[in-house]
Structure formats: C-alpha cells, structure tokens
Amino acid sequence: MKRILWLFLPVLILSACTEQTDFNTDVNDIENINSLVSSVKENADKYDVSKFEEYKLDSVIDGDTIRIIYNGNSEKVRFLLIDTPETNHETLGEQPYGPEAKEFTKQLLAGQDKVYLEFDVSYRDKYQRLLAYIYTQDGISVQEQLLKNGLARVAYIYDPNTKYVDRFKSLQETAQQSAIGIWSVEDYVTNRGYDKEAFNAAAGMRNGEQQDKTTADDNSCDIKGNINRKGNKIYHMPGQLDYENTVAEEMFCSVKEAEEAGFIPASR
C-alpha cells in the first residue's frame, strides 16, 4: 500500500492544489503555511548576509525562482541545487505541492524589498538565468528551509556549482525520513522530477480506503437474529446479556430490519 502521512501542516499548503485536497500533510493550506513560516523565521539558522550580494526583490515566480533587479533590469534567478514542483508549467501544468512551495517562498520573503544572493562559480545557466543561493534580509537560507520542510528536492547538480550539495542532501534525507511534504506520498518524487500520476494514484487509494471505512461504519450490521428451540425468532443487540454467546442465524443492520423479518427483541 502506498504510504501517505497525515499530519497538520506546520507546512506545504494551498489546498489550491486541487488534486490533493484530501491530503492533510505538513504543508497543505494557507493557514498552515503561515504557521510554518512564522516558526521558520523564529527558529531557523541565520547567516551573515554581509558576505553576500544585495539586490532589490522584484517578485516571486515559483517556489524555486524569483526576479530581482540586476544591473538595472528585472532578471530571473533560479535557486541553485534544488527543484520545487511546478505551479504553471507550459507542459507539466500545476504539480502537487507546487502552490505550497511558491507560497512558502513568497511568505518567507514577504515584506522585504531586498534579498541576498550568494553566487557559486558560474553565475548563469544555459537559459541565461542567474543561479544563486538565496537568503532573506535576516539571513535565512530559502533553499535550506524548502528542503527541510519537504517542499523541494535536491536536483540539477552541475559542476562547478556544487558548494552546498552535501549539506542540502543531508537536509533532504531528514525530510524523507520524516515523510513530510513531497515525501509524504511514496513514488511522487523521482530522479526526473515529480510523478503526478503516482500522486493521483495514492490519492485515489486513500480516498477509496476512506469510502470503505465510511460504508462499513454506516452499515454496521451487528444485530444477531437467532431462532430458539421453541422456534421463536429473537434478535439480540450488542451489549445485551447473551449477545456474545448467541449464535446468529441472520444478521441485521437495524431493529426495523429485524422486526420486519419477524424477529422480536430479547428480554434481556
């Protein structure tokens, strides 16, 4: 059976992810993201941003992409060494936990007109996007927190930009072991990205289990119908004196059903 972790989100989010509304994971609605980000801001490790380069923050595009004002122009910055699910990809569309990741990054940077970038060896990728490690004004690593809270995977590891790959892999391993966020659904994360079909299959399985349980609860047919040696039809309710010792010839789901079948209630 596929494993799905049910917790509150301390995070990942927006139940805006329509295909995951039945999942209550650490990150699945706005209120939970608010709580998570508040906790992160209070408890996260802080780095000395004086060592990094300061830029004006333009906008948040995705969980792992922002825009900054760079040399007078608005430019995309792709977060080094991580990958979050998509929110509006031209071919992949919206992926589960994509909105959560975007909201997390957006709230972590909320109220800030500046952002701090740490570049590795190479400044740009083949698409000419800037590549960097991103920090808030008070020194929180956005990449680290996305990984810690199960909203990103370690990916796109290309030399020479590998400065923090070991640290990031360690954070990812902890999130995997805790089965939070993207790691709460088995087989959703792959070495190629995110498998939406695996997520939907897990959602369907979970929904089916819930339906089965609801049906069973709604149809607890535990009234025992017994015919005694005199030929009298007697029904016994759970909790009555002889209920456990009664051998049922028939089982009924309601008193009405038992009485319509000609059974009368046991005297005790």
Side-chain angles (χ1 to χ4, degrees), residues 20-266:
Q20 77 179 71
T21 53
D22 290 314
F23 287 86
N24 187 16
T25 61
D26 252 3
V27 284
N28 71 336
D29 63 38
I30 290 293
E31 290 184 1
N32 285 342
I33 285 296
N34 287 338
S35 300
L36 180 64
V37 172
S38 295
S39 176
V40 166
K41 287 182 176 180
E42 182 176 348
N43 300 306
D45 293 334
K46 308 292 196 305
Y47 296 89
D48 182 2
V49 295
S50 66
K51 300 176 181 179
F52 310 137
E53 298 185 30
E54 176 187 299
Y55 294 95
K56 181 178 179 181
L57 176 64
D58 190 3
S59 63
V60 174
I61 297 175
D62 227 332
D64 56 17
T65 310
I66 60 173
R67 278 189 174 275
I68 63 168
I69 302 303
Y70 185 81
N71 292 335
N73 299 311
S74 177
E75 289 210 36
K76 284 185 179 181
V77 183
R78 182 70 167 73
F79 295 9
L80 273 170
L81 300 179
I82 71 164
D83 175 45
T84 63
E86 301 289 347
T87 58
N88 190 30
H89 194 274
E90 56 186 24
T91 58
L92 298 174
E94 180 183 293
Q95 296 175 315
Y97 291 108
E100 288 83 342
K102 179 178 179 179
E103 185 68 15
F104 180 86
T105 297
K106 187 176 180 180
Q107 290 196 32
L108 199 56
L109 296 174
Q112 302 184 182
D113 57 356
K114 299 175 183 177
V115 67
Y116 289 83
L117 273 58
E118 179 184 8
F119 294 99
D120 211 321
V121 178
S122 173
Y123 274 43
R124 294 184 184 272
D125 63 13
K126 63 183 179 180
Y127 305 107
Q128 293 306 303
R129 295 176 301 186
L130 290 165
L131 302 171
Y133 304 105
I134 314 300
Y135 299 86
T136 66
Q137 288 183 180
D138 52 355
I140 297 173
S141 167
V142 181
Q143 272 111 315
E144 286 188 8
Q145 294 307 317
L146 284 165
L147 290 166
K148 277 186 175 182
N149 290 289
L151 294 169
R153 68 186 184 104
V154 177
Y156 305 116
I157 305 169
Y158 301 122
D159 289 328
N161 294 332
T162 58
K163 183 175 182 179
Y164 296 124
V165 66
D166 290 338
R167 180 194 298 178
F168 287 3
K169 283 184 176 180
S170 177
L171 294 173
Q172 173 177 275
E173 184 177 355
T174 300
Q176 283 179 283
Q177 291 172 349
S178 299
I180 59 173
I182 60 174
W183 306 107
S184 67
V185 180
E186 189 176 356
D187 297 331
Y188 175 49
V189 184
T190 75
N191 58 9
R192 302 177 312 282
Y194 300 94
D195 187 341
K196 198 171 183 179
E197 290 185 5
F199 185 95
N200 291 339
M205 180 176 294
R206 184 62 192 176
N207 291 341
E209 290 173 355
Q210 288 183 308
Q211 183 62 46
D212 289 346
K213 184 178 185 301
T214 299
T215 301
D217 289 346
D218 291 344
N219 297 284
S220 24
C221 302
D222 52 3
I223 301 174
K224 293 182 177 181
N226 174 261
I227 302 175
N228 64 19
R229 284 176 291 182
K230 295 180 180 180
N232 297 322
K233 294 182 176 182
I234 311 294
Y235 67 82
H236 301 259
M237 302 289 291
Q240 288 187 308
L241 181 62
D242 295 322
Y243 180 82
E244 295 300 331
N245 297 324
T246 298
V247 177
E249 272 92 18
E250 294 186 52
M251 297 295 293
F252 301 103
C253 301
S254 67
V255 168
K256 180 180 179 181
E257 182 181 350
E259 292 181 347
E260 285 179 350
F263 286 77
I264 62 174

